[in-house]
Amino acid sequence: MIKGYDSIKTLATKVWFTRDMFYVQLHDGRKVVAPLLWFPGLRRAIDEQLSSLRLIGNGTGIRRDDIDEDISVAALL
């Protein structure tokens, strides 16, 4: 384990999508980009469902109830 790593919080401030990609803006200015193929629940979701995803846990996760998908921001890294 990296010394001091567990004290670092990685928080999301914004989440958005394109047809094939999933984007998360982090509080420190970094942007995480991942293919929707990595997230089967998101890949099957319609645009309206994707646009209404919400940040949970003060930015530690992303959730959409009707597609039953929870994503940890730390796991994206």
Side-chain angles (χ1 to χ4, degrees):
M1 177 182 281
I2 299 170
K3 184 177 178 179
Y5 178 77
D6 56 348
S7 65
I8 298 171
K9 290 251 185 203
T10 302
L11 304 174
T13 57
K14 182 179 177 183
V15 59
W16 70 99
F17 299 87
T18 62
R19 179 172 296 282
D20 299 316
M21 302 300 286
F22 170 49
Y23 299 84
V24 179
Q25 180 71 47
L26 303 178
H27 76 286
D28 62 6
R30 291 178 292 164
K31 186 180 351 175
V32 178
V33 182
L36 281 178
L37 290 174
W38 290 1
F39 306 95
L42 297 180
R43 190 178 65 233
R44 290 187 302 268
I46 60 173
D47 289 342
E48 180 180 307
Q49 291 170 317
L50 291 176
S51 66
S52 59
L53 283 166
R54 61 186 170 93
L55 297 174
I56 57 173
N58 294 321
T60 60
I62 301 160
R63 173 83 181 147
R64 176 62 190 187
D65 294 326
D66 63 349
I67 59 174
D68 194 31
E69 187 81 24
D70 290 308
I71 300 166
S72 163
V73 173
L76 289 172
L77 302 175

PDB file of all heavy atoms in Angstrom, residues 38-56:
ATOM      1  N   TRP A  38     -17.543  -1.384 -20.651  1.00  0.00           N
ATOM      2  CA  TRP A  38     -17.087  -1.883 -19.347  1.00  0.00           C
ATOM      3  C   TRP A  38     -18.236  -1.955 -18.338  1.00  0.00           C
ATOM      4  O   TRP A  38     -18.086  -2.555 -17.284  1.00  0.00           O
ATOM      5  CB  TRP A  38     -16.004  -0.985 -18.783  1.00  0.00           C
ATOM      6  CG  TRP A  38     -14.698  -1.055 -19.500  1.00  0.00           C
ATOM      7  CD1 TRP A  38     -14.358  -1.804 -20.594  1.00  0.00           C
ATOM      8  CD2 TRP A  38     -13.528  -0.316 -19.169  1.00  0.00           C
ATOM      9  NE1 TRP A  38     -13.058  -1.567 -20.964  1.00  0.00           N
ATOM     10  CE2 TRP A  38     -12.527  -0.655 -20.103  1.00  0.00           C
ATOM     11  CE3 TRP A  38     -13.230   0.612 -18.176  1.00  0.00           C
ATOM     12  CZ2 TRP A  38     -11.250  -0.113 -20.057  1.00  0.00           C
ATOM     13  CZ3 TRP A  38     -11.951   1.153 -18.132  1.00  0.00           C
ATOM     14  CH2 TRP A  38     -10.973   0.799 -19.064  1.00  0.00           C
ATOM     15  N   PHE A  39     -19.365  -1.323 -18.629  1.00  0.00           N
ATOM     16  CA  PHE A  39     -20.484  -1.224 -17.694  1.00  0.00           C
ATOM     17  C   PHE A  39     -21.752  -1.732 -18.374  1.00  0.00           C
ATOM     18  O   PHE A  39     -22.494  -0.959 -18.980  1.00  0.00           O
ATOM     19  CB  PHE A  39     -20.674   0.231 -17.247  1.00  0.00           C
ATOM     20  CG  PHE A  39     -19.418   0.830 -16.699  1.00  0.00           C
ATOM     21  CD1 PHE A  39     -18.579   1.567 -17.513  1.00  0.00           C
ATOM     22  CD2 PHE A  39     -19.072   0.646 -15.370  1.00  0.00           C
ATOM     23  CE1 PHE A  39     -17.407   2.117 -17.011  1.00  0.00           C
ATOM     24  CE2 PHE A  39     -17.908   1.197 -14.859  1.00  0.00           C
ATOM     25  CZ  PHE A  39     -17.069   1.927 -15.682  1.00  0.00           C
ATOM     26  N   PRO A  40     -22.042  -3.026 -18.280  1.00  0.00           N
ATOM     27  CA  PRO A  40     -23.188  -3.602 -18.985  1.00  0.00           C
ATOM     28  C   PRO A  40     -24.513  -2.906 -18.682  1.00  0.00           C
ATOM     29  O   PRO A  40     -25.323  -2.707 -19.580  1.00  0.00           O
ATOM     30  CB  PRO A  40     -23.209  -5.058 -18.520  1.00  0.00           C
ATOM     31  CG  PRO A  40     -21.816  -5.337 -18.093  1.00  0.00           C
ATOM     32  CD  PRO A  40     -21.286  -4.035 -17.558  1.00  0.00           C
ATOM     33  N   GLY A  41     -24.734  -2.527 -17.432  1.00  0.00           N
ATOM     34  CA  GLY A  41     -25.982  -1.845 -17.088  1.00  0.00           C
ATOM     35  C   GLY A  41     -26.119  -0.506 -17.779  1.00  0.00           C
ATOM     36  O   GLY A  41     -27.195  -0.122 -18.223  1.00  0.00           O
ATOM     37  N   LEU A  42     -25.022   0.230 -17.891  1.00  0.00           N
ATOM     38  CA  LEU A  42     -25.049   1.519 -18.582  1.00  0.00           C
ATOM     39  C   LEU A  42     -25.161   1.333 -20.082  1.00  0.00           C
ATOM     40  O   LEU A  42     -25.836   2.093 -20.760  1.00  0.00           O
ATOM     41  CB  LEU A  42     -23.799   2.333 -18.248  1.00  0.00           C
ATOM     42  CG  LEU A  42     -23.621   2.740 -16.791  1.00  0.00           C
ATOM     43  CD1 LEU A  42     -22.336   3.538 -16.627  1.00  0.00           C
ATOM     44  CD2 LEU A  42     -24.811   3.513 -16.276  1.00  0.00           C
ATOM     45  N   ARG A  43     -24.507   0.321 -20.593  1.00  0.00           N
ATOM     46  CA  ARG A  43     -24.535   0.077 -22.040  1.00  0.00           C
ATOM     47  C   ARG A  43     -25.957  -0.197 -22.529  1.00  0.00           C
ATOM     48  O   ARG A  43     -26.333   0.203 -23.614  1.00  0.00           O
ATOM     49  CB  ARG A  43     -23.607  -1.095 -22.377  1.00  0.00           C
ATOM     50  CG  ARG A  43     -23.383  -1.277 -23.850  1.00  0.00           C
ATOM     51  CD  ARG A  43     -22.430  -2.410 -24.150  1.00  0.00           C
ATOM     52  NE  ARG A  43     -23.006  -3.678 -23.738  1.00  0.00           N
ATOM     53  CZ  ARG A  43     -22.390  -4.553 -22.941  1.00  0.00           C
ATOM     54  NH1 ARG A  43     -21.199  -4.301 -22.458  1.00  0.00           N
ATOM     55  NH2 ARG A  43     -22.972  -5.695 -22.625  1.00  0.00           N
ATOM     56  N   ARG A  44     -26.760  -0.864 -21.696  1.00  0.00           N
ATOM     57  CA  ARG A  44     -28.143  -1.189 -22.078  1.00  0.00           C
ATOM     58  C   ARG A  44     -29.112  -0.049 -21.792  1.00  0.00           C
ATOM     59  O   ARG A  44     -30.258  -0.093 -22.219  1.00  0.00           O
ATOM     60  CB  ARG A  44     -28.602  -2.436 -21.332  1.00  0.00           C
ATOM     61  CG  ARG A  44     -27.913  -3.698 -21.786  1.00  0.00           C
ATOM     62  CD  ARG A  44     -28.512  -4.927 -21.132  1.00  0.00           C
ATOM     63  NE  ARG A  44     -28.460  -4.885 -19.690  1.00  0.00           N
ATOM     64  CZ  ARG A  44     -27.481  -5.381 -18.928  1.00  0.00           C
ATOM     65  NH1 ARG A  44     -26.459  -5.965 -19.514  1.00  0.00           N
ATOM     66  NH2 ARG A  44     -27.522  -5.300 -17.621  1.00  0.00           N
ATOM     67  N   ALA A  45     -28.684   0.960 -21.058  1.00  0.00           N
ATOM     68  CA  ALA A  45     -29.575   2.061 -20.670  1.00  0.00           C
ATOM     69  C   ALA A  45     -29.880   2.960 -21.866  1.00  0.00           C
ATOM     70  O   ALA A  45     -29.082   3.081 -22.791  1.00  0.00           O
ATOM     71  CB  ALA A  45     -28.931   2.887 -19.571  1.00  0.00           C
ATOM     72  N   ILE A  46     -31.032   3.590 -21.803  1.00  0.00           N
ATOM     73  CA  ILE A  46     -31.389   4.556 -22.838  1.00  0.00           C
ATOM     74  C   ILE A  46     -30.808   5.922 -22.449  1.00  0.00           C
ATOM     75  O   ILE A  46     -30.437   6.153 -21.295  1.00  0.00           O
ATOM     76  CB  ILE A  46     -32.910   4.634 -23.035  1.00  0.00           C
ATOM     77  CG1 ILE A  46     -33.614   5.048 -21.743  1.00  0.00           C
ATOM     78  CG2 ILE A  46     -33.447   3.304 -23.537  1.00  0.00           C
ATOM     79  CD1 ILE A  46     -35.099   5.306 -21.906  1.00  0.00           C
ATOM     80  N   ASP A  47     -30.735   6.827 -23.399  1.00  0.00           N
ATOM     81  CA  ASP A  47     -30.133   8.139 -23.165  1.00  0.00           C
ATOM     82  C   ASP A  47     -30.764   8.876 -21.977  1.00  0.00           C
ATOM     83  O   ASP A  47     -30.070   9.513 -21.203  1.00  0.00           O
ATOM     84  CB  ASP A  47     -30.223   9.010 -24.418  1.00  0.00           C
ATOM     85  CG  ASP A  47     -29.301   8.527 -25.521  1.00  0.00           C
ATOM     86  OD1 ASP A  47     -28.362   7.760 -25.223  1.00  0.00           O
ATOM     87  OD2 ASP A  47     -29.521   8.906 -26.677  1.00  0.00           O
ATOM     88  N   GLU A  48     -32.068   8.799 -21.837  1.00  0.00           N
ATOM     89  CA  GLU A  48     -32.750   9.487 -20.742  1.00  0.00           C
ATOM     90  C   GLU A  48     -32.271   8.952 -19.387  1.00  0.00           C
ATOM     91  O   GLU A  48     -32.061   9.713 -18.447  1.00  0.00           O
ATOM     92  CB  GLU A  48     -34.253   9.301 -20.864  1.00  0.00           C
ATOM     93  CG  GLU A  48     -35.040   9.989 -19.774  1.00  0.00           C
ATOM     94  CD  GLU A  48     -36.538   9.772 -19.959  1.00  0.00           C
ATOM     95  OE1 GLU A  48     -37.036  10.052 -21.066  1.00  0.00           O
ATOM     96  OE2 GLU A  48     -37.170   9.316 -19.002  1.00  0.00           O
ATOM     97  N   GLN A  49     -32.065   7.654 -19.289  1.00  0.00           N
ATOM     98  CA  GLN A  49     -31.573   7.068 -18.042  1.00  0.00           C
ATOM     99  C   GLN A  49     -30.147   7.512 -17.761  1.00  0.00           C
ATOM    100  O   GLN A  49     -29.795   7.822 -16.629  1.00  0.00           O
ATOM    101  CB  GLN A  49     -31.643   5.544 -18.106  1.00  0.00           C
ATOM    102  CG  GLN A  49     -33.051   5.003 -18.090  1.00  0.00           C
ATOM    103  CD  GLN A  49     -33.087   3.524 -18.396  1.00  0.00           C
ATOM    104  OE1 GLN A  49     -32.394   3.045 -19.295  1.00  0.00           O
ATOM    105  NE2 GLN A  49     -33.914   2.803 -17.653  1.00  0.00           N
ATOM    106  N   LEU A  50     -29.313   7.545 -18.772  1.00  0.00           N
ATOM    107  CA  LEU A  50     -27.922   7.966 -18.580  1.00  0.00           C
ATOM    108  C   LEU A  50     -27.833   9.419 -18.145  1.00  0.00           C
ATOM    109  O   LEU A  50     -27.028   9.774 -17.295  1.00  0.00           O
ATOM    110  CB  LEU A  50     -27.113   7.747 -19.865  1.00  0.00           C
ATOM    111  CG  LEU A  50     -26.863   6.299 -20.259  1.00  0.00           C
ATOM    112  CD1 LEU A  50     -26.130   6.249 -21.590  1.00  0.00           C
ATOM    113  CD2 LEU A  50     -26.100   5.560 -19.191  1.00  0.00           C
ATOM    114  N   SER A  51     -28.667  10.261 -18.712  1.00  0.00           N
ATOM    115  CA  SER A  51     -28.590  11.684 -18.389  1.00  0.00           C
ATOM    116  C   SER A  51     -29.075  11.988 -16.982  1.00  0.00           C
ATOM    117  O   SER A  51     -28.804  13.065 -16.465  1.00  0.00           O
ATOM    118  CB  SER A  51     -29.367  12.505 -19.413  1.00  0.00           C
ATOM    119  OG  SER A  51     -30.744  12.211 -19.316  1.00  0.00           O
ATOM    120  N   SER A  52     -29.754  11.049 -16.337  1.00  0.00           N
ATOM    121  CA  SER A  52     -30.240  11.311 -14.982  1.00  0.00           C
ATOM    122  C   SER A  52     -29.491  10.524 -13.917  1.00  0.00           C
ATOM    123  O   SER A  52     -29.980  10.358 -12.803  1.00  0.00           O
ATOM    124  CB  SER A  52     -31.743  11.043 -14.907  1.00  0.00           C
ATOM    125  OG  SER A  52     -32.004   9.715 -15.253  1.00  0.00           O
ATOM    126  N   LEU A  53     -28.299  10.053 -14.237  1.00  0.00           N
ATOM    127  CA  LEU A  53     -27.444   9.469 -13.207  1.00  0.00           C
ATOM    128  C   LEU A  53     -27.108  10.533 -12.181  1.00  0.00           C
ATOM    129  O   LEU A  53     -27.029  11.719 -12.503  1.00  0.00           O
ATOM    130  CB  LEU A  53     -26.153   8.934 -13.821  1.00  0.00           C
ATOM    131  CG  LEU A  53     -26.257   7.611 -14.548  1.00  0.00           C
ATOM    132  CD1 LEU A  53     -25.021   7.377 -15.378  1.00  0.00           C
ATOM    133  CD2 LEU A  53     -26.465   6.463 -13.588  1.00  0.00           C
ATOM    134  N   ARG A  54     -26.895  10.113 -10.939  1.00  0.00           N
ATOM    135  CA  ARG A  54     -26.598  11.093  -9.896  1.00  0.00           C
ATOM    136  C   ARG A  54     -25.368  10.676  -9.106  1.00  0.00           C
ATOM    137  O   ARG A  54     -25.059   9.492  -8.984  1.00  0.00           O
ATOM    138  CB  ARG A  54     -27.795  11.245  -8.977  1.00  0.00           C
ATOM    139  CG  ARG A  54     -28.192   9.980  -8.250  1.00  0.00           C
ATOM    140  CD  ARG A  54     -29.484  10.174  -7.458  1.00  0.00           C
ATOM    141  NE  ARG A  54     -29.966   8.902  -6.962  1.00  0.00           N
ATOM    142  CZ  ARG A  54     -29.682   8.413  -5.756  1.00  0.00           C
ATOM    143  NH1 ARG A  54     -28.940   9.108  -4.923  1.00  0.00           N
ATOM    144  NH2 ARG A  54     -30.156   7.242  -5.378  1.00  0.00           N
ATOM    145  N   LEU A  55     -24.681  11.667  -8.614  1.00  0.00           N
ATOM    146  CA  LEU A  55     -23.546  11.417  -7.731  1.00  0.00           C
ATOM    147  C   LEU A  55     -24.086  11.071  -6.353  1.00  0.00           C
ATOM    148  O   LEU A  55     -25.062  11.674  -5.893  1.00  0.00           O
ATOM    149  CB  LEU A  55     -22.649  12.646  -7.658  1.00  0.00           C
ATOM    150  CG  LEU A  55     -21.989  13.053  -8.977  1.00  0.00           C
ATOM    151  CD1 LEU A  55     -21.248  14.367  -8.809  1.00  0.00           C
ATOM    152  CD2 LEU A  55     -21.050  11.972  -9.466  1.00  0.00           C
ATOM    153  N   ILE A  56     -23.469  10.117  -5.685  1.00  0.00           N
ATOM    154  CA  ILE A  56     -23.866   9.739  -4.332  1.00  0.00           C
ATOM    155  C   ILE A  56     -22.646   9.803  -3.414  1.00  0.00           C
ATOM    156  O   ILE A  56     -21.507   9.836  -3.887  1.00  0.00           O
ATOM    157  CB  ILE A  56     -24.500   8.331  -4.297  1.00  0.00           C
ATOM    158  CG1 ILE A  56     -23.544   7.276  -4.860  1.00  0.00           C
ATOM    159  CG2 ILE A  56     -25.826   8.316  -5.036  1.00  0.00           C
ATOM    160  CD1 ILE A  56     -24.022   5.840  -4.700  1.00  0.00           C
TER     161      ILE A  56
END
